[in-house]
Every structure is written in structure tokens, then in C-alpha cells.
Amino acid sequence: MSVCLDFTTHTHTHTHTENTNEVVMLNRVVVTGLAAITPIGPDLRTSWDNLLAGVSGVDKITRFDCQDYATKIAAEVKDFNVEDFLSPKQARRLDRFCHFAVAAAKMLFEDAGLTIDGEKTKDLGVILGCGLGGLETIEAFHTKLMKSGPKRISPFYIPQLISNMAAGQVSILTGAMGPNLVTTSACASGLHAIGYAYSDIKLGRVNAMITGGVESTITPMGVSGFNAMRALSTRNDEPQKASRPFDRDRDGFVIGEGCGLLLLESLEQALERGARIYAEVVGFGASSDAYHMTAPEESGAGMALAMQSALKEARVSPEDIDHINAHGTSTKLNDICETRAIKKVFGQHAYDIPITANKSMIGHTLGAAGGIESVFSVLSIYESKIPGTINLENSDPECDLNYCPQESIEKEIQYVLCNSFGFGGTNGSILFKKFEE
């Protein structure tokens, strides 16, 4: 049955602006749909079950011949057939990252109990995060240009590669006429997208948002570029053990790909249509290290500021947080600096909070990371389960918090904080809460 996303009433919270008696009406924002395509599953349920079971999605690279590369492993999406979601003609005209986005959007609507029926609505928007866009397309057409000249370049070349095309295609698919844009903030792209989508609904600019992150850059240029920075793991003989956040023996991150989407709605609309509500979004923080192109600021001050901002917006204390889904990249600087930042924000309570690093299993999906990991954060609240961090065998002495080594645990969760940080010193944190009317 088709459900019209035409909002006419709103559930509000109230806040007073500083130095005035003006009351600002703010919508409550809830999560009513989830979708995921990841290296550990082509759909939400498979991905979540494998995450809880500690299954690694890292293996030998199959998407290109990597014989001459220092890194020969990646976290590729497997068992994904684009023709289950797009015609062969449509698929040829889109890059792989757009394939993921369109497929995930179709699964998102199904999960949310909505039907894609060709109707357009101004009350639904799309904000997706994507760090690099169609790198595979750029490489393929550059090769064609060098071999055959400029007349062999397709008119679809530019539309295929631009990073906002995933959001554009999802908008075309769903009839979403609200805000349609991409956030490109390196590895924080997906989380920033969710934060700004949440803010737009909260402020009444739009009533529902498809949001999250998508990326597919397991390509020769992608891998060689990160290899040149010495950022990638070269544990080629043990792929499943290569991604090891917070572990003393980590040697870099494992590049991954995939998509994680959430449907955010105002509470009033969700209740009106009888939607399943997974969780509520209650806080978002963004900040900058103002420090370095690629390295995080060593004290963790910028990261801490993002977390503090999310808590402040939600009006909760650090002691209220039950779980943190860490950025946890498996790189020396990130893991140590994130640990320092958590200690800055949470003090002694930092040692009591279960912290998990999904990247130990799905690798680092770059611009998709904040989307996928937010999906998993919401499921942690909804199912009262915290995934473990695999491959954490010998903790780095400077990483001495509770990172849920190896196995998932069951725990009632009221609040979960999800972190994403990126090159350029960009930081983001989003806070989800167990839904209560």
C-alpha cells in the first residue's frame, strides 16, 4: 500500500532563544527505516547477523589485478547483483556507488513499509554522503581517452562520476522533491549527511529524509593512492585479521565499500502512518581539528568537541551514554587520538562504556562509513546488542578502554553515540536514543 508523505501536523519540542521570550518549535526526529549493503552482507539482516557473529568481510581483491600492489586485500561487497534492482541499460549508465545507493533505497522503502509508486512529494528529501564519487568511472574513461582519443568518451561520463549522482538517482527513483544534495567530507561524509538531514527535519524545513552514506573506490587508483600514503594494511597473508582497531599490531586500515541508509521522519508522521520506530535522533555535533591535511590533532580536542556538541544538543550528560560506535580505523594515530578524545569527554565514565569498532569486520568504507555504522548503532538500540571488535588480541597500551574485544554482548541501551572523522580534520558525532513516546 502506498503511503503519502504529506505532513500537515507536527510533534514539537520547545526551546527558548537566548535573551528573548521567543519560543522555537522543534520537531522530534525518528528513524523508521534502515538498509545496508556491506562487505559482510548484501542486505540489512545478513550484514547485522554477520556483524554480531564476528564475521570478517576482508579478503583478496577480486575487482582488479593487484599483483603489483603493496596491498592485495580489501573489504568488497559480495553476492550483490545490480540487475536485481536496475535494468542492464540503467546499470551501464551508472557507477557502482550509484548501484549501491539505488538498491539500498529500494530496500529502505520496503523496510519502512512504503511503496515507490511514481508519485512525487516535496516533503521528502535526500542527503547522502560520498567521499570520492565515481572513481571507477574516471579510471575507465581515462584509459579509453588515452587509447582511443576524446571522441570515444561517452556523454554519460560526467553524470556517472559526480558524487551527488547517488542522491540524484535516489530522488528520481522515489519522487523526493525536497533537498537533494551530497556531503563530501572525506570519511565523515555519511555521518554529516545524517546530521544535516536530522537538522532539516528538526527545524521544519522538510518532513522526511533518505540519508546515509555510499562509496565504492576499491580501484587501482584508490588502492595505490592510499598505499602511497602508507595508510593501508599490507597483511596480505591473513586478510580476515588485517583490520584490527585499537590493537597493538595494527598496520593500517582495510579499504571497503558499501552503503548504509536511514529513513528519518518527524515523529508525528511516523505515528500517524503507524511506522515501526527504531530509535530517535537527539543530537548532532560537527567540528574541525584546524590542524593537518590527514593527521588528527594529537590531543583529540577536535574530535571531543564534536562529541560534546552532540551531547549538548540532546541535553544529556556524559554519564548517560551507554555505548559508543567508534570511528576506529585500525590506524595508529586515529585509534589513539579517538581514545584520548573519549577520555576528554567522558572522564572516568569512559572506562565503563562499551565501545565497538565495526571496521574490524567491514573495513573502512570511507564516505559510506558513517551511514553504515549509524545503521548498526540504531540496531544496537533496537535489539539491545553490541557487536564485538574482532582481531583485538593485544591492546595498544595507549588504547585502554573497553572496546568489546572479539564477541558481541547483550545490553539495554538508552543512548548510543556514533563517531566519524575524516581527512582535513573534519569530525562528526551523532547521538541516537531509545524511542519513548
Side-chain angles (χ1 to χ4, degrees):
M1 176 178 145
S2 176
V3 177
C4 178
L5 293 176
D6 183 16
F7 296 70
T8 55
T9 56
H10 304 274
T11 295
H12 300 284
T13 56
H14 303 75
T15 187
H16 291 269
T17 58
E18 291 184 11
N19 303 319
T20 75
N21 291 320
E22 179 186 359
V23 177
V24 178
M25 308 293 284
L26 301 176
N27 294 317
R28 290 176 65 184
V29 181
V30 293
V31 182
T32 58
L34 299 171
I37 299 170
T38 77
I40 53 175
D43 55 58
L44 178 68
R45 192 73 246 174
T46 305
S47 295
W48 178 241
D49 287 347
N50 281 333
L51 193 77
L52 293 175
V55 175
S56 172
V58 182
D59 212 332
K60 300 289 186 181
I61 291 173
T62 65
R63 296 196 56 75
F64 64 92
D65 183 357
C66 59
Q67 180 177 348
D68 296 330
Y69 292 73
T71 292
K72 298 174 172 50
I73 56 174
E76 298 177 337
V77 168
K78 309 164 190 72
D79 302 321
F80 173 77
N81 182 12
V82 64
E83 292 184 13
D84 290 340
F85 304 95
L86 291 165
S87 71
K89 182 178 180 180
Q90 289 173 316
R92 284 194 303 272
R93 292 179 173 179
L94 296 174
D95 190 271
R96 183 170 168 87
F97 81 104
C98 287
H99 295 170
F100 290 158
V102 171
K106 289 185 176 182
M107 291 188 281
L108 180 72
F109 263 51
E110 182 178 355
D111 185 69
L114 298 172
T115 300
I116 298 172
D117 58 8
E119 294 294 319
K120 294 185 178 182
T121 173
K122 61 182 176 59
D123 293 317
L124 175 65
V126 184
I127 302 182
L128 300 185
C130 184
L132 289 169
L135 195 55
E136 187 173 64
T137 293
I138 294 171
E139 293 181 33
F141 278 100
H142 180 264
T143 298
K144 183 173 287 190
L145 176 66
M146 293 298 98
K147 286 185 177 179
S148 306
K151 292 184 179 180
R152 298 297 297 167
I153 300 301
S154 165
F156 292 101
Y157 166 56
I158 296 297
Q160 277 183 243
L161 72 90
I162 54 179
S163 57
N164 73 302
M165 191 50 64
Q169 288 294 322
V170 170
S171 173
I172 292 166
L173 171 73
T174 61
M177 294 182 68
N180 175 274
L181 61 140
V182 61
T183 53
T184 298
S185 46
C187 302
S189 299
L191 191 141
H192 283 155
I194 298 166
Y196 292 116
Y198 151 70
S199 298
D200 271 0
I201 299 172
K202 181 177 180 178
L203 294 173
R205 292 172 177 153
V206 70
N207 301 306
M209 280 284 192
I210 299 166
T211 188
V214 62
E215 199 83 88
S216 180
T217 55
I218 304 174
T219 70
M221 287 299 294
V223 173
S224 61
F226 283 118
N227 269 156
M229 298 174 66
R230 299 184 179 178
L232 293 181
S233 171
T234 55
R235 194 185 289 256
N236 299 314
D237 56 338
E238 294 181 303
Q240 289 77 32
K241 294 185 177 182
S243 186
R244 33 199 325 118
F246 307 108
D247 188 80
R248 179 193 65 194
D249 300 320
R250 64 198 183 283
D251 71 329
F253 77 84
V254 174
I255 191 170
E257 62 178 353
C259 183
L261 298 185
L262 302 85
L263 182 66
L264 305 186
E265 297 185 55
S266 72
L267 175 59
E268 182 69 24
Q269 170 64 19
L271 293 176
E272 184 178 308
R273 72 179 187 87
R276 169 181 50 193
I277 296 176
Y278 284 105
E280 185 170 0
V281 191
V282 292
F284 168 58
S287 69
S288 176
D289 288 350
Y291 175 70
H292 191 271
M293 287 177 65
T294 57
E297 194 277 322
E298 292 185 5
S299 75
M303 296 175 177
L305 180 59
M307 289 185 262
Q308 289 164 339
S309 297
L311 297 180
K312 181 179 179 181
E313 182 173 37
R315 299 184 180 184
V316 300
S317 71
E319 291 72 27
D320 292 324
I321 305 306
D322 304 300
H323 170 42
I324 297 173
N325 195 336
H327 188 54
T329 59
S330 184
T331 58
K332 183 176 178 64
L333 283 178
N334 175 88
D335 294 355
I336 292 173
C337 293
E338 185 170 12
T339 297
R340 290 172 181 164
I342 291 170
K343 290 178 181 179
K344 277 182 180 292
V345 176
F346 295 95
Q348 190 60 37
H349 182 54
Y351 293 89
D352 300 323
I353 305 172
I355 300 167
T356 193
N358 299 159
K359 292 180 182 69
S360 63
M361 287 168 269
I362 64 172
H364 193 347
T365 58
L366 308 180
I372 295 171
E373 290 158 20
S374 289
V375 167
F376 291 152
S377 297
V378 168
L379 284 174
S380 285
I381 290 176
Y382 192 69
E383 296 196 0
S384 301
K385 294 175 181 176
I386 299 175
T389 301
I390 67 168
N391 300 323
L392 182 48
E393 298 167 353
N394 299 289
S395 292
D396 185 314
E398 295 189 69
C399 300
D400 57 350
L401 300 178
N402 175 18
Y403 307 108
C404 302
Q406 309 307 339
E407 295 183 358
S408 59
I409 60 175
E410 294 193 8
K411 178 180 171 64
E412 283 292 323
I413 301 169
Q414 188 75 8
Y415 291 98
V416 56
L417 186 71
C418 185
N419 289 334
S420 285
F421 313 122
F423 286 171
T426 184
N427 307 305
S429 295
I430 195 152
L431 184 60
F432 298 101
K433 179 181 182 290
K434 190 178 186 67
F435 173 68
E436 297 170 344
E437 282 194 57

